[in-house]
Amino acid sequence: MKRSLSLTIGASLVGLVAVLALVSFFWMPFDPNHVDPASRLLPPSWPHIMGTDHLGLDIFSRILAGARICLLVGVIAVGIGALVGVPLGLIAGFAKGWFPKFVLRTADIIYAFPALLLAILLAAANGHGSVVTAMVAIGISSVPAFIRVARAATLQVVNQDFILAARTSATPKYTIALQHILPNIAPVVLVQSSVSFGLAILAEAALSYLGLSAPPTTVTWGRMLFDAQSYLFSDANLALWPGLFIALTVLGCNLLGDGLREVLDPRLQEVR
Amino acid sequence: MTPLLEVSGLNLAFGQRRTPALRDVSFTLDGGQRLGIIGESGSGKSVTALAVMGLLPDNAFLSGSIRWRGQELVGLGDAAYSKLRGDDMTMVFQEPMTALDPTMPVGLQVAEVLRLHRARSKDAARFGASAEQIVDNARNRVLEMLTEVGLPDPGRAALKYPHQLSGGQRQRVMIAMALINRPALVICDEPTTALDVTVQAKVLRLIDYELRAVQAASLFISHDLAVVSQVCDEVLVLYHGEVVERGHVAQVLGAPEHPYTKGLVATARLDLVTPGERLPVIEDFLSSAQLAGGGAANG
Amino acid sequence: MSVVRVLASRVGVFAISLLVASLAVFCVVNALPGDVAGTILGTNATPQAIAELRAQLGLDRPLPLRYIEWLGGMFRGDFGVSAFTYEPIGALIRPRLAVTCWLVFLSVGLAVTLAIPVGKYAALRRKKFTGQLVSVVSQFGMAVPAFLMGIILSLVFAVRLGWLPANGYTPLLVDPLDWARRLVLPCTALALVQGAVLVRYVRNAFIDVLQEDYFRTARSVGWPLRAAVNRHGMRNAALQVVTVLGLQLATLFVGAIVIEKVFVIPGLGSLLIDAVAKRDLPIVQGVVMLLVALILIINAAVDVLYVLIDPRLKSDTEGVDV
């Protein structure tokens, strides 16, 4: 396999977040929601290695706990996007007649509902925002990208000789789709998943910041940023850590996507 | 007298691994002379042409000497090189489908070549002309050129975009672009390979005629022996980046000396094969040492 | 296919999309349990009181009828009234739409003027250190949420350096200088983040162009590198970038919502967020529909622009070989 610096860095960053989330289930230095007025706004020091916030909450513990929501939102949103988008895109690339057109037009319409707008709409209809409305909104809004990517990849594969051979040998359509096309479009879907994952984390952060995602008791990095805003000018430390971790995770996802593309898609290797 | 083009000891390698593409290639070309370069794909034909034009990709490492009318071109700056390109030395590419800018009418693309090198300096000096006159002159010259290369209804054709023309018509436009400034050297890189067989002959005849008309020298790159023997005086055989044979077309193709050339000639003469017999392949003519030794690749 | 037919079919698709989108917005807002009447009167209200208010607000009538009325109203510029203040929503939206549009279009202008030269530079020098540095910086730029960029900018330039106001808005006609001063930071925040994405696309578009055969032709006829890029690269790269730019405009309208919150700017975003907090559903419904419509309009406009600048889409006649 070709080596790629982007892939290595990206995978390491995403891996780091995954490790943080895993660790948080077994061990956290402090209860992330334990208010301790005696130790408010401490600078990074032992035992609070990233300091404490305005309520005396340990920032490191909250970063650990926040990694869970961050990954959860990414996984669920990308899951919705891929599970809905890939089959639709595949069929749209494979089938003939009105259906592909219908799928594409629908994708265009969903595209006019960005994650944030959809989440706002759901939150308003629901009475309040929650992690669930955020995840669903982000997931739905990532569907069109998966449809387009899967369709484009299917169109490329579908006219290749081995598919035509399978078609002429009267192999059932769903067998062709599952056995021949799906493995061939998997790389692009993987790349898109990685990119969408990063976008999902950005969208969740923005929603948390607007107070439209998790309730105050749930620890998320976006929420931490929101809480930190009033203390920005006296204690930038509060905003530094969640901001840094959001940026690093998204950077990791983007680099992972780039790296996967380099490794999996030979056409993008620079020729000449 | 200094030759028009003198290439000596040219070595070329690509990428960080320095994959060699040309090894110690030398040849000279006098004014009006036509030299065919033949060899299989990957033998270094095209990169030789690009090296002369100074259009090698960034990852190419070139050493040796290319002299143009005695002036060294290896290491020449882009600005100075650009004055030569399109004016004194031009090139016709293989892919007529993609070699023209899809967003610009073809007449404009031809006119551009003229204006880029002429309108400001030579025309203005010659006519002492105003801007409008120059544009007028340019337009007339472009139409004249498009007529000459045999585009039907040149006035209308000039306004068309490349996708509205056929492959043969596009290649005619390319030839017009290459010849409008009456260059001293036209490099043709497989100019007919991508065309239909029926169109090939017509375009080849056009190139032959046009080269004669402006008395331009030519480097004519092809893998097709028949094409080279029609157009060229001399021929150079490249094999794995090395010159293995050079001489008059009739001599080289009639009595090839190098085993590779022998193979090339034999594989092209299918009429000599007894029906039922296995067709000859180039490897039949090469010793195992020659097969193993040729490590240079990448065209 | 002629240009006219392409455009006509595009307009048709746009109209249908708008209709479907409005239906979606209406359904999400109205189909879920609980409505405005309950919210206004609170949890202690008697069922009779709620029913009375519902009748008064017209909420007791069948959904399809209400949908058609809402839709018809919007065509006349009537978005209904706020559930709390009974102010006409159209009047609330109008000045705020102008604010948001200023924010978005100035940002996109700034992002484009930054991204095109920078992306072109990164493409031309992609093998050199400076070119790769641009790529790395743009990667970081893409990873920072716009609101975080806004917070950082206001922290540095408003709080620490005191060069610019940290928040607020002054209408252009009231005080043009103050208007500009207050828009600098929010626009920069949006433009930097979107610009980072754009730089990548511009860079890739130019790298594609540099490897095209027609670019090699342009070089072979004597265009020096930079002139060849400008003359034969720009338009072809633009074809790719225009599409992305349309998508960018759409995300900018959404990004503006968050930035307005950071910089306390009275635009559509703050109207929308306030309405969500108060559960003023008619306002949410109206503003979301307006934003969705804007995004659809932009997408349609990009398609049309694409047809206009790409000669290949105007006609597809092929010549005959001679």
Side-chain angles (χ1 to χ4, degrees), chain C residues 134-147:
Chain C
V134 171
S135 301
V136 172
V137 171
S138 74
Q139 277 283 9
F140 276 99
M142 282 169 66
V144 178
F147 66 89

Side-chain angles (χ1 to χ4, degrees), chain B residues 222-252:
Chain B
S222 182
H223 64 274
D224 191 337
L225 297 179
V227 167
V228 168
S229 61
Q230 274 178 51
V231 184
C232 300
D233 322 313
E234 291 203 40
V235 63
L236 188 80
V237 184
L238 273 182
Y239 180 62
H240 284 325
E242 283 176 80
V243 178
V244 294
E245 196 156 357
R246 174 176 185 171
H248 276 281
V249 172
Q251 176 205 329
V252 171

